[in-house]
């Protein structure tokens, strides 16, 4: 082997260390990547020939992904003989070599292992047909740009590659003892987009892992693996549930029945449903079902997908108590994955969570946007998904309507081809998979329930008796003051939940309510003594979690807040999946399904026979903002209001009717367009179109110590970044005058007032709205 060839230059903080040898790197990447590949394909429902072909392309990609670094000019820089950036984009060299041995799939993977990631067939054809540039060849950026300057740059790079390609092959084979073999594969085609992402995930994870091991001087680069121990975890969970007591005997009976049915049901289908009302321990029961499936089918991972970020901390905390075994680190067994702390820059990759734990609790945004991604840093964890049991909580609320067809397509692919087992659950389940208007005629399906029909009917009757619905002012829009008067009415007793449609509206109402009821308090006033609490994404996850902990304490039998008047003002982030229980609720008009989700946080245990959920509409001004996306939903909610209060129709059926009408009202073919792009492997287009939250935001740290450590290059765990950060619109970064913590602009520091106990980064709300106009 030629030990003088280099893959990575010496670390800046340790220039005396020998550069990372090329052969050492590619051979270790091959070892790690193939281990990932074999583990993944163990769960593939594909023919042996197809699996063998995929693995051969993966091996080629792993072995020659960095072959372009062997260009002499690149080696001069990597060895330290010359300063500056690499003069030659090494990716084109790898693509050229892969195409020379006819391994088109390997070429796609190599082309994608650095930003911007997977290309789009549409853009590649545009370049090839219009400007006579070879498939995947040329620079990595602006592939669809056919301007003269861009075409010139592509052709210059290709010409440079052609002069060195034989040298690259010779140097690689001499250095690594890896002989290139011809392997004819087609380009990614119909229905192969997901497989391509999975293969790229194996390459990227192996490449990033070995690179990180070199720069951290980790001599033993082992694939970290925690044993699933499903049977032991199920036994612990069953014991804990069996010892649980309940105030209300009737609810306790229903709770025990739900757990028993979820645990003991024998269904071979990989996709099932669970429509169970709130307050019956649905999450725990479904996890028991998934544990049993993991045992029966030898699955390697359980994934809980929640609709909102704040839900996962509470869920993960509970599961750590129920499922972590003696001697284990609960955080390694049950990992929670908040908003994306993923970065394409090498120095920030260590903060990314890679789904290595046996049990993952994550958000719908994280889960489904990973499936849609073309980005190598985002896709790094995807190879761990096959062979998983997946619980999608509030399944109909996990993505916007326009993305449901694409989402359902991936769910079916994961179930049919990659041995993933799904439970789609909700308190009022919308069966969107049965509606051709939503998922398309070709993919509509009927799924079995893990609950018996008799038990379902029993729970539906109990659900209708649990809560009553009413509209403030007969549905007319009211002022902020009128809403406050209704909330504070002496006729209403006990705790009250108030949900608004926007973060700003929630903060405005929370502040106004506090000024009315407890005007004297300051930022450091303890949570335990506050009459008014607030939760929204204006607060960092660590602070939302503290507030949720305070809410839980107030619901204890011996809580001093029991039967007292107190208030939580929030956004929709608490309307689903959170174990909260209020005496009464107020919900700003949105959709019928959101209203029913909020109903799940009121009289959750069914002990209060006078509980009410009020629907209201607010007059908008510069403080109270309308949510433009809800116009059609509100109109349809009005249509079905009388059916809702009549109590003679199934809530599931009513929710499905409302959601289907929303799809019909939208009357566009955007879903078909997105699915077409997926099938045609237009990866960049799918990534751009599939946005659950249509926002261009950046991560902003609100904790001074975390910011200081990052600036000083002191190691910070991904948990600390997630827990102490907020998301700010990219176009507000300059307006807010935020400071970049890293040179690449991946992280920012919040430079203004922050209130961890109440308003979060909107602490100075008055000036933000009235003076600087920061919020709109």
């Amino acid at each position: 082997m030629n030990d003088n060839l280099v893959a990575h230059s010496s670390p800046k903080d340790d220039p005396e260390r020998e550069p990372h040898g090329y052969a050492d790197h590619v051979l270790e990447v091959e070892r790690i990547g193939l281990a990932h590949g074999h583990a993944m394909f163990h769960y593939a429902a594909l023919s042996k020939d197809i699996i063998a072909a995929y693995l051969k392309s993966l091996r080629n990609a792993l072995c020659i992904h960095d072959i372009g670094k062997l260009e002499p000019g690149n080696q001069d820089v990597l060895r330290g003989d010359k300063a500056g950036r690499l003069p030659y984009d090494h990716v084109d060299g790898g693509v050229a070599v892969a195409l020379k041995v006819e391994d088109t799939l390997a070429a796609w993977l190599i082309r994608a292992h650095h930003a911007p990631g997977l290309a789009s067939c549409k853009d590649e054809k545009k370049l090839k047909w219009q400007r006579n540039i070879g498939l995947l060849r040329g620079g990595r950026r602006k592939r669809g740009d056919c301007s003269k300057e861009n075409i010139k740059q592509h052709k210059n790079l290709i010409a440079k590659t052609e002069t060195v390609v034989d040298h690259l092959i010779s140097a690689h084979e001499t250095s690594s003892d890896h002989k290139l073999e011809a392997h004819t594969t087609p380009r990614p085609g119909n229905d192969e987009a997901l497989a391509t992402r999975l293969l790229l995930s194996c390459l990227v994870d192996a490449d990033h892992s070995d690179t990180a091991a070199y720069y951290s001087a980790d001599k033993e680069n082992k694939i970290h693996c925690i044993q699933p121990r499903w049977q032991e975890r199920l036994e612990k969970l069953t014991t804990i549930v069996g010892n649980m007591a309940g105030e209300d005997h009737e609810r306790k009976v229903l709770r025990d029945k739900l757990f028993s049915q979820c645990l003991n049901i024998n269904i071979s289908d990989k996709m099932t449903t669970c429509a169970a009302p709130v307050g019956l321990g649905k999450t725990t029961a479904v996890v028991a079902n998934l544990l049993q499936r993991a045992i029966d089918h030898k699955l390697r991972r359980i994934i809980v997908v929640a609709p909102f970020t704040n839900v996962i901390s509470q869920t993960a905390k509970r599961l750590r108590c129920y499922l972590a075994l003696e001697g284990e680190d609960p955080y390694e067994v049950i990992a929670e994955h908040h908003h994306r702390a993923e970065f394409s820059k090498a120095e920030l990759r260590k903060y990314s969570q890679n789904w290595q734990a046996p049990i993952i609790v994550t958000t719908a945004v994280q889960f489904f946007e990973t499936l849609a991604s073309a980005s190598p840093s985002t896709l790094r964890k995807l190879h761990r998904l096959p062979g998983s049991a997946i619980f999608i909580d509030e399944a109909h609320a996990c993505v916007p309507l326009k993305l449901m067809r694409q989402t359902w397509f991936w769910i079916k692919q994961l179930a049919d081809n990659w041995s993933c087992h799904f439970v789609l659950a909700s308190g009022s389940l919308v069966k969107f998979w049965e509606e051709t208007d939503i998922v398309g005629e070709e993919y509509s399906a009927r799924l079995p329930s893990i609950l018996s029909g008799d038990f379902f009917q029993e729970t539906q009757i109990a659900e209708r008796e649990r809560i009553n619905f009413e509209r403030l002012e007969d549905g007319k829009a009211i002022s902020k003051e009128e809403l406050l008067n209704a909330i504070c009415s002496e006729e209403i007793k006990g705790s009250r939940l108030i949900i608004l449609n926007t973060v700003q509206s929630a903060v405005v109402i929370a502040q106004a309510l506090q000024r009315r009821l407890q005007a004297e308090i300051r930022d450091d006033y303890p949570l335990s003594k506050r009459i008014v609490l607030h939760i929204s994404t204006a607060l960092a996850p660590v602070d939302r979690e503290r507030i949720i902990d305070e809410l839980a304490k107030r619901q204890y039998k011996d809580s001093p807040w029991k039967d007292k008047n107190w208030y939580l003002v929030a956004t929709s982030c608490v309307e689903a999946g959170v174990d909260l229980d209020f005496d009464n609720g107020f919900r700003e008009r949105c959709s019928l399904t959101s209203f029913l989700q909020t109903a799940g946080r009121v009289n959750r245990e069914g002990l209060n026979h006078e509980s009410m959920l009020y629907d209201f509409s607010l007059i908008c001004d510069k403080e109270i903002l309308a949510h433009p996306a809800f116009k059609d939903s509100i109109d349809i909610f009005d249509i079905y209001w009388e059916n809702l209060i009549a109590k003679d129709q199934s809530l599931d059926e009513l929710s499905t009717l409302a959601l289907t009408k929303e799809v019909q009202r939208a009357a566009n073919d955007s879903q078909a367009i997105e699915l077409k792009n997926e099938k045609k492997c237009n990866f960049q287009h799918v990534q751009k179109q599939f946005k659950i939250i249509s926002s261009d935001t950046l991560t902003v740290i609100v904790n001074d110590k975390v910011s200081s450590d990052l600036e000083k290059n002191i190691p910070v765990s991904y948990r600390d970044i997630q827990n102490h950060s907020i998301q700010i619109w990219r176009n507000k970064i300059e307006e807010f005058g935020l400071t970049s913590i890293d040179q690449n602009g991946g992280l920012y520091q919040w430079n203004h007032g922050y209130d961890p106990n109440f308003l979060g980064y909107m602490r100075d709300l008055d000036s933000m709205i009235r003076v600087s106009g920061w919020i709109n």
Side-chain angles (χ1 to χ4, degrees), residues 610-663:
E610 297 181 355
S611 289
M612 188 75 70
L613 176 59
Y614 297 91
D615 164 71
F616 68 90
S617 176
L618 278 175
I619 297 171
C620 297
D621 53 28
K622 65 180 180 180
E623 293 185 336
I624 300 298
L625 304 179
H627 198 306
F630 296 155
K631 184 181 182 302
D632 285 342
S633 300
I634 291 171
D635 290 344
I636 293 164
F637 186 20
D638 288 337
I639 293 172
Y640 288 110
W641 174 256
E642 295 300 326
N643 301 70
L644 183 63
I645 61 177
K647 295 190 175 184
D648 60 354
Q649 187 168 0
S650 162
L651 294 179
D652 288 2
E653 292 177 2
L654 200 57
S655 299
T656 301
L657 282 172
L659 195 67
T660 303
K661 192 169 283 292
E662 286 184 43
V663 173

Side-chain angles (χ1 to χ4, degrees), residues 22 26 30 58-67 172 178:
Y22 175 79
V26 296
E30 178 189 14
L58 175 61
R59 181 174 184 267
N60 279 341
L62 293 165
C63 290
I64 63 173
H65 73 283
D66 269 356
I67 197 171
H172 167 80
H178 169 247

Side-chain angles (χ1 to χ4, degrees), residues 162-299:
E162 295 306 312
T163 65
V164 299
V165 69
D166 290 337
H167 166 78
L168 299 179
I169 295 173
S170 175
H172 167 80
E173 293 185 342
T174 301
S175 172
S176 66
D177 287 339
H178 169 247
K179 302 298 181 183
L180 293 171
E181 298 178 8
H183 175 51
T184 304
T185 59
R187 65 168 177 79
N190 189 32
D191 291 349
E192 293 183 357
L194 180 56
T196 304
R197 292 188 186 95
L198 288 165
L199 290 165
L200 176 62
S201 173
C202 296
L203 167 58
V204 172
D205 196 15
D207 185 25
H208 288 190
S209 296
D210 185 58
T211 302
Y214 167 73
Y215 280 111
S216 64
D218 182 0
K219 301 303 181 183
E220 293 198 24
N221 187 14
K222 296 179 180 178
I223 299 175
H224 189 53
C225 181
I226 299 171
Q227 293 303 311
R229 300 172 71 179
W230 300 133
Q231 185 65 50
E232 295 171 77
R233 301 190 200 285
L234 180 57
E235 289 172 1
K236 179 179 179 180
L237 177 63
T238 303
T239 300
I240 291 173
V241 171
N243 292 332
M244 286 180 175
E247 269 187 51
D248 182 87
H249 176 70
E250 183 179 342
R251 301 289 284 186
K252 175 70 164 62
V253 169
L254 289 175
R255 200 175 289 122
D256 290 345
K257 282 184 179 179
L258 175 63
F259 187 84
S260 177
Q261 290 206 9
C262 287
L263 178 60
N264 297 315
I265 189 71
N266 184 17
I267 295 179
S268 60
D269 300 65
K270 292 179 181 176
M271 294 187 289
T272 57
T273 68
C274 180
V278 297
L280 298 184
K282 178 175 76 258
T283 299
T284 306
V286 170
V287 168
N289 177 271
L290 297 184
L291 284 166
Q292 189 61 59
R293 293 193 200 203
I295 294 168
D296 294 341
H297 300 282
K298 296 181 173 56
L299 304 180

